[in-house]
Amino acid sequence: MGLQTYAVCKNYGETRALYDVDLCVERGEFFTLLGPSGCGKTTLLRIIAGLEMADNGRVEINGQDCTKIRANRRPVNTVFQSYAMFPHLTVLENVCFGLISRKVPKAEALEKARQTLDLVQLKGFDSRKPDQLSGGQRQRVALARALANEPEILLLDEPMSALDAKLRVQVQVELRQIQQRLEKTFIMVTHDQEEALTVSDRMAVMNVGQIAQYGTVREVYDRPLTRFVADFLQTENFIEAKAIGETEVATPYGNWTLPESIPWEAGTLSVRPENLQLARPGTPQCDLQARVVTNIYKGCYQKLILDNGLTMETDATTILEAGDTVGVHVPRESIILLYEEEIQRMKAPAPDEKEAAV
Amino acid sequence: MKRTSTLSNLTSVFIFIFLYLPMLSVVMFSFNASDMGLKWGGFSLKWYQQLVHNELILWAAWNTLVLAVVSTAFSTLIGTMLAIGLYRFPWKKRTAGKLNVLLHLPVVTPDIIFAVALVIAFSVIRYTTGLFELGLTTMIVGHITFQIAFVALAVRGRLELIGHDVEEAACDLYAGYWRVLTRVLLPMLKPGIIAGAMLAFTLSLDDFVISFFTCGPKSTTLPLFIYASVKRGITPEIHALSTIVMLVTIASVALMQKLSPNTKH
């Protein structure tokens, strides 16, 4: 067991940062907390780190209750968003800091620090000061400084937000490789869905202090459960629909038969732009016709914004221009059925809890 | 284009002359051999020699130094602790605002009011406990009270620059409170602490008003001595003394510059 939280709550004055968060992270997995800013993901990470104390609930690390234990006694280490380097210490001293704190003999600590710097591919910078390093190098030092302590869990708070786009992609891959080599538990916070998909085994999408959905990255990406999650993972097309049979729905674009039974009377469907296909108008494949309003060329594909409100992506070989009429096929198996937001009920606290909070 | 640059160059030259001419003239006249007036009587070091043999001046210099060093030591310690305490404690916003005003108050209060307040406070304490006879001790206490605010402000500025992150990082890296303080916070605060201490030191060195009110019969400092002698007329001896005081001040400023390199963190 890596990390487990039970009903963690945190308020800042009147503002609710976290409500009833149950989280379970397996040992050795790369887990990501994904969400928009202000959703409580960083607060949750800080509570796991011990930099912030939960108002309520429990935090267990490897089965041990850590709820009340201060940050300097928890077997976790953090890579801070700002890296939080010690500017007056050299790279090597920075990386040694945690080991020396724990009274590891100096020679051993230095040896371990050097090994860890090797691991993050930062050789020959031992005696530099942090302000003599580039942003990417500083990020590696921050990673090494945390990893040198061999923490049970490594926490990463938006570790790549300060890097430029190209470097970020490279670092994501490296981070994933390091995690797999060390077989350590990594928990990362990010607002970038691509980053989450690239590095994680599993992820949790958070919204207003709660976990909206969690599962493997594939599960969450392919099957977002609520409109919020779908929207955050950019499914883009939302279609209001009514159930008119066991598996049949009425939509503004016609009646469709879905491969699964429909759990509601009226609700929302979603379909990713890349799953919509062009179809020759008039053929049975063609579900709807629409005019192209805008064509955004993206190099390897083009993005078509249609006059009926849908967005689709097709390969760029078919030349289409604004004003052209296209036929669109909606593959039934790619339609995502969204559920009512379950968190709705938790948003407003029950009256008795309200009193308890005051 | 060229004209404006000549003009601005000229302006800056004039400003420097304006700023430093009085001081330069003091330095010049301290080497003047003639006894009185503005007539140049040749180069001489005799006023400096007289200075060194004047018991009163030596005594005043010693008092000034003791006062400045002791008060700076105490105010640096207390001011630094105050700044750290104010910064780390999670005050409510309103309380923090009020504390901020309180911290600035000694800086903006006119010296004379501060001095009178100190005199009253000392006499009340003396009346009730018999302690705090006016003298070097009361001067030291007086100086500490106004220096603390300057030190605390300098250190707090530095703390705000550092932010909470590094402290949290140290804590996350298993450092206890003492290690965070000695290995991270204090080393990073060093430039701020030195700047605050130097400020406190120079303020104490040339303070007149507060010293004047809180001194005793035997605790004359250099500014007080100069003030008393000037009333009897300015002598070249005073010029020599002023020149030395100026040199000490310049030296301490230079030292401060050297000790706190302009780092950007």
Side-chain angles (χ1 to χ4, degrees), chain A residues 46 51 70-72 74 76-78 80 82 84-88 97-98 100-102 131 145 149, chain B residues 165-177 179-180 182-185 187-188 263-265:
Chain A
R46 289 172 60 82
L51 297 168
R70 278 171 50 81
N72 58 357
R74 287 196 191 193
V76 300
N77 290 105
T78 310
F80 288 80
S82 65
M85 294 278 96
F86 304 130
H88 57 295
F97 193 92
I100 306 278
S101 291
R102 283 195 301 181
D131 61 358
R145 187 176 70 172
N149 307 293
Chain B
D165 263 19
V166 275
E167 215 178 305
E168 282 180 350
C171 205
D172 184 65
L173 294 164
Y174 314 107
Y177 180 71
R179 185 165 159 82
V180 174
T182 55
R183 297 288 144 184
V184 178
L185 216 46
M188 286 182 74
T263 41
K264 280 180 218 149
H265 331 290

